[in-house]
């Protein structure tokens, strides 16, 4: 039986089930927490101390003691080698199974943050991160992704935010590799800069890599942050994206980094995993079958989304109006369309729903910096996808008053 917590010595058979689960999938896709914390374990104090009375469950001490997962410079003392495995394999006790990456974010915020602490997250980006942070009484502060023919991280902005954090409340940098909705992978130079900054300021990296295995138009040199040895790193992945099956609610966290930091982070994460017990035996029993299915499903989905992206380029190139274009997406299965900013995003989406019961996600869902963006999925079957693109182009024409 596979359970959600690697912290129980008898919960997972390291020789059989756990190795089969982790070897193929978790090696490249899971990540761990950055905690070389102070204190000696779990504080028996108030588990749900709601300081501001807004109904959120502020966990000031339930799973950590006085900022249990704080990494106040400890990682700077470690050697470059860290806790990475020479063969790239993750150890079973460094991987945590849970229900979803959303739950993983929640666990890691419990681990790394006290109420009032902060995490850095990308914008544009997935809005759920801010909502989860609010539930954990953690502040989400945002750094920008910039577009100049392709997307890139504003690393100097992150450096400035860390330098100006006089109270040392920022506990982690979240990166999404590749990002949703921009589809941008973390470039090698960006990776090096982020690792250096996190080492300097003693904070963790949380890397969400659920879309990593869906390349579209990638640049050379992209690779996972999973297994990063120099900095306490938590990599997130899950079957709902690997299998393109939203109901396949199995996710995982892999912890990597310097040995002492990983050991302490795991010790504290074990407590959280044991307390929440998020995965049942019935779900765990299906994991080997899902692993077996993953390569075939990745190939099938990858072929479809790349074919649809080619169709999208052909249709946009052939559109005589020529006012809609697609921003370069390096990976994932969503793309951003850009249309004239004089058209209201909500108005466009409502027109598509009224005309053909087809929709997309307006750019403001992801905190785009200006009006005029629509996120669409590359997942539909080819014929339906082409009709969806035609619906967008027709709706744009109508909003511009062009017959």
């Amino acid at each position: 039986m596979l359970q959600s917590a690697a912290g129980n010595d008898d919960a997972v058979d390291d020789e059989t089930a756990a190795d089969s689960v982790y070897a193929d999938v978790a090696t490249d896709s899971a990540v761990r927490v950055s905690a070389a914390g102070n204190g000696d374990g779990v504080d028996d104090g108030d588990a749900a101390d709601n300081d501001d009375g807004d109904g959120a469950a502020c966990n000031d001490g339930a799973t950590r003691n006085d900022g249990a997962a704080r990494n106040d410079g400890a990682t700077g003392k470690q050697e470059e080698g860290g806790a990475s495995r020479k063969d790239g394999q993750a150890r079973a006790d460094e991987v945590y199974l849970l229900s979803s990456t959303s739950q993983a974010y929640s666990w890691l915020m419990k681990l790394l943050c006290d109420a009032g602490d902060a995490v850095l997250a990308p914008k544009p980006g997935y809005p759920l991160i801010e909502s989860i942070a609010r539930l954990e009484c953690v502040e989400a502060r945002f750094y920008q992704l910039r577009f100049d023919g392709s997307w890139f991280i504003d690393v100097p902005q992150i450096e400035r935010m860390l330098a100006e954090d006089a109270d040392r409340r920022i506990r982690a940098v979240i990166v999404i590799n590749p990002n949703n909705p921009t589809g941008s992978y973390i470039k090698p130079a960006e990776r090096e800069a982020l690792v250096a900054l996190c080492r300097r300021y003693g904070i963790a990296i949380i890397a969400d890599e659920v879309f990593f295995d869906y390349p579209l138009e990638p640049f050379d040199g992209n690779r996972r942050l999973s297994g990063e040895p120099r900095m306490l790193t938590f990599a997130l992945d899950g079957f709902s994206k690997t299998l393109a099956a939203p109901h396949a609610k199995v996710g995982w966290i892999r912890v990597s980094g310097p040995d002492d930091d990983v050991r302490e982070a795991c010790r504290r994460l074990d407590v959280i995993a044991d307390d929440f017990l998020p995965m049942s035996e019935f779900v765990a029993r299906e994991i080997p079958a899902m692993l077996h299915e993953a390569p075939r499903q990745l190939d099938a989905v990858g072929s479809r989304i790349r074919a649809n992206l080619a169709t999208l380029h052909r249709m946009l190139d052939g559109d005589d109006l020529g006012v809609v274009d697609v921003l370069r997406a390096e990976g994932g299965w969503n793309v951003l369309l850009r249309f004239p900013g004089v058209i209201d995003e909500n108005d466009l989406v409502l027109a598509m729903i009224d005309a053909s019961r087809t929709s997309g996600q307006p750019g403001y869902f992801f905190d785009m910096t200006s009006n005029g963006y629509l996120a669409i999925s590359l997942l539909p079957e080819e014929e339906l996808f082409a009709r969806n693109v035609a619906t967008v182009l027709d709706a744009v024409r109508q909003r511009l008053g062009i017959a």
Side-chain angles (χ1 to χ4, degrees), residues 18 28 33 44 84 115 177 225 234 238 270 272 281 370 391:
D28 281 343
V33 196
D44 291 330
S84 66
N177 184 36
L225 282 130
F234 302 88
D270 287 347
I272 298 174
E281 177 183 358
S370 61
T391 297

Side-chain angles (χ1 to χ4, degrees), residues 105-128:
Y105 280 120
S106 176
W107 282 19
L108 295 177
M109 289 178 192
K110 294 178 193 299
L111 176 72
L112 297 168
C113 301
D114 286 328
D117 282 347
V119 295
L120 300 185
K123 183 183 288 188
Y126 195 51
L128 192 60

Side-chain angles (χ1 to χ4, degrees), residues 85-301:
R85 305 293 161 249
K86 292 181 180 179
D87 58 1
Q89 296 285 322
R91 286 185 2 190
D93 62 355
E94 295 172 350
V95 179
Y96 292 81
L97 292 176
L98 29 63
S99 296
S100 65
T101 52
S102 297
Q103 190 173 55
Y105 280 120
S106 176
W107 282 19
L108 295 177
M109 289 178 192
K110 294 178 193 299
L111 176 72
L112 297 168
C113 301
D114 286 328
D117 282 347
V119 295
L120 300 185
K123 183 183 288 188
Y126 195 51
L128 192 60
I129 294 174
E130 184 175 13
S131 179
I132 294 171
R134 190 179 299 115
L135 290 173
E136 296 295 338
C137 297
V138 171
E139 179 188 2
R141 302 180 188 176
F142 296 98
Y143 63 88
Q144 285 294 142
L145 304 182
R146 311 288 184 184
F147 186 78
D148 185 12
S150 63
W151 293 93
F152 63 94
I153 296 173
D154 190 340
V155 174
Q157 181 190 17
I158 295 176
E159 184 171 14
R160 183 170 63 253
M161 294 172 76
L162 292 172
E164 293 173 354
D165 182 30
D167 295 331
R168 299 287 302 277
R169 301 312 298 262
I170 297 173
R171 305 311 314 151
V173 175
I174 296 171
V175 295
I176 305 175
N177 184 36
N179 183 267
N180 180 22
T182 67
S184 48
Y185 286 101
I186 305 297
K187 311 301 185 300
E190 293 172 337
R191 180 193 187 113
E192 294 306 304
L194 289 174
V195 167
L197 285 173
C198 289
R199 284 169 59 86
R200 183 191 311 170
Y201 289 95
I203 63 176
I205 295 174
I206 300 173
D208 185 334
E209 302 190 308
V210 296
F211 285 112
F212 191 89
D213 290 323
Y214 293 108
L216 292 170
E217 299 175 312
F219 293 100
D220 292 336
N222 302 325
R223 61 190 179 94
R224 291 181 180 270
L225 282 130
S226 178
E228 169 59 51
R230 296 166 292 176
M231 194 60 233
L232 195 57
T233 303
F234 302 88
L236 316 183
D237 209 335
F239 280 133
S240 64
K241 300 301 186 297
T242 301
L243 299 177
H247 59 282
K249 303 308 289 183
V250 177
W252 53 88
I253 304 169
R254 179 185 174 187
V255 187
S256 65
D259 288 332
D260 290 345
D261 293 349
V262 169
R263 189 178 304 110
E264 181 63 16
C266 289
R267 185 174 73 86
R268 297 171 186 272
L269 197 53
D270 287 347
V271 176
I272 298 174
D274 284 340
D275 283 349
F276 282 88
L277 296 174
M279 188 178 297
S280 72
E281 177 183 358
F282 304 105
V283 175
R285 200 181 282 157
E286 298 302 316
I287 290 177
M290 288 191 279
L291 280 170
H292 180 75
E293 181 68 13
R296 188 197 68 79
Q297 189 73 342
L298 284 170
D299 287 344
V301 174

